[in-house]
């Protein structure tokens, strides 16, 4: 594998500049959560996954480990696995080990260096599996066009299946989209529906979506998960401003912002913000913005779902919910959706 992705659609710096300027023009100011993730942000997220308080990763991993054989049986074989927001692809390893007749793995992530590091590690562990890393914002349309690169009839890619007349016809692999981590929660319900419709299109006929969906629960458990005692989540939150400084040559004094995360009961979501602790003026490519103590930058929503609420959303987007797996405490769910 080269150091470059199979497809490099990383958003241009101008796109980030537009997003930041637009986000700073609203009240309250806001930044898209995808900008947490440069190389440093991806490493910080990996540290969050190891925290005692951060139940989503451990619980989702437990569900996948416990039910991976059922998941595999429900999917059949000859599958191209496409993962949105793959990060370090830690949970994916379970699928790579257990799915039948895996034709290829396509990890998609906006954080290029981290994506390539994860893909190289996987290549060492699964040397015969074709891996096609794609660096992209998954909110954009991505034309994967894998037809030309999947080899035929060798156990990978479109396999040849015997027909009644003895001839061999190519059986196209079906698509399994994997979207773990409850990253779907970063969208508001309307954006989530639009996103799921696009995923439905990419999954195609006979396609599936295996998705991690975090559930509404005791607010204390939620609060602690986003306010860890070691301050890793706070560093992760502030990293969005470091990223803006590095990428856009801005001069934000990041030390003058503190982390805030709280449960919004009526919207059933965790809201993450950065709150200015003092006055400062910041220059972003020639545009100057003043902050006073108490001013807020909205950085992330993390919507939590109820099983029936997510079912309605998925059905609105054209999916059928085939299976829902949860943990004994009903903290988290892994759901298998199909396009037919
Ligand atoms: C919450 S982490 C989940 C990582 C991993 N899938 C897991 O479950 O542990 C979100 C991942 O999605 C990626 N990501 C976030 N927004 C993205 C976007 N708009 N396009 C592509 N990747 C994105 C981040 O770089 C990060 O790796």
């Amino acid at each position: 594998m080269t150091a470059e992705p199979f497809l490099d659609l990383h958003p241009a710096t101008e796109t980030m500049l537009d997003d930041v300027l637009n986000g700073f023009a609203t009240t309250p100011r806001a930044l898209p959560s995808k900008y947490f993730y440069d190389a440093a942000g991806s490493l910080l997220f990996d540290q969050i996954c190891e925290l005692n308080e951060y139940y989503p990763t451990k619980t989702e991993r437990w569900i996948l480990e416990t039910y991976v054989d059922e998941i595999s049986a429900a999917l059949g074989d000859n599958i191209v696995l496409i993962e949105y927001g793959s990060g370090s692809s830690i949970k994916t390893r379970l699928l790579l080990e257990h799915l039948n007749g895996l034709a290829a793995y396509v990890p998609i992530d906006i954080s290029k260096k981290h994506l390539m590091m994860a893909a190289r590690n996987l290549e060492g562990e699964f040397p015969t599996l074709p891996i096609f890393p794609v660096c992209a914002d998954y909110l954009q349309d991505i034309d994967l066009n894998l037809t030309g690169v999947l080899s035929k009839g060798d156990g990978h890619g479109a396999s040849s299946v015997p027909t009644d007349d003895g001839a061999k016809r190519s059986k196209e692999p079906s698509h399994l989209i994997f979207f773990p981590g409850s990253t779907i929660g970063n969208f508001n319900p309307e954006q989530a529906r639009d996103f799921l419709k696009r995923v439905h299109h990419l999954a195609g006929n006979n396609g599936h979506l295996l998705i991690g969906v975090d559930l509404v629960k005791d607010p204390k458990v939620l609060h602690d998960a986003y306010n860890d005692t070691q301050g890793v989540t706070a560093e992760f939150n502030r990293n969005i401003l470091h990223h803006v400084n590095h990428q856009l040559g801005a001069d934000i004094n990041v030390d003058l912002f503190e982390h805030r995360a709280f449960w919004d009961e009526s919207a059933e979501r965790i809201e993450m913000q950065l709150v200015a602790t003092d006055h400062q003026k910041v220059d972003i490519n020639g545009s100057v913005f003043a902050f006073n103590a108490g001013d807020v930058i909205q950085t992330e929503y993390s919507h939590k779902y109820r099983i029936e609420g997510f079912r309605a959303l998925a059905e609105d987007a054209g999916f059928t919910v085939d299976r829902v797996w949860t943990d004994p405490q009903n903290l988290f769910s892994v759901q298998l959706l199909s396009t037919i």
Side-chain angles (χ1 to χ4, degrees), residues 34 37 45 83 85-87 91 109-111 136-138 180-181 183:
K34 63 188 173 190
Y37 299 98
F45 182 74
E83 181 171 359
S86 48
K91 299 161 198 156
D109 206 287
I110 200 165
S111 186
D137 179 344
Y138 51 54
T183 312

Side-chain angles (χ1 to χ4, degrees), residues 155-229:
H156 295 307
S159 60
S160 294
V161 289
T163 59
D164 288 348
D165 58 7
K168 287 195 164 185
R169 264 185 221 132
S170 164
K171 181 186 161 218
E172 285 300 319
S174 59
H175 286 173
L176 168 64
I177 318 293
F178 185 40
F179 195 34
S182 203
T183 312
I184 188 79
N186 297 155
F187 304 127
N188 69 38
E190 200 171 310
Q191 292 166 332
R193 186 177 302 105
D194 290 347
F195 179 77
L196 289 173
K197 281 184 184 162
R198 298 219 333 275
V199 173
H200 186 278
H201 180 73
L202 178 68
N205 286 338
N206 201 23
H208 290 90
L209 168 63
L210 184 67
I211 184 165
V213 182
D214 199 5
L215 302 176
V216 174
K217 61 183 65 61
D218 178 355
K220 162 122 178 63
V221 175
L222 287 162
H223 180 273
D224 290 354
Y226 293 84
N227 291 281
D228 66 276
T229 52

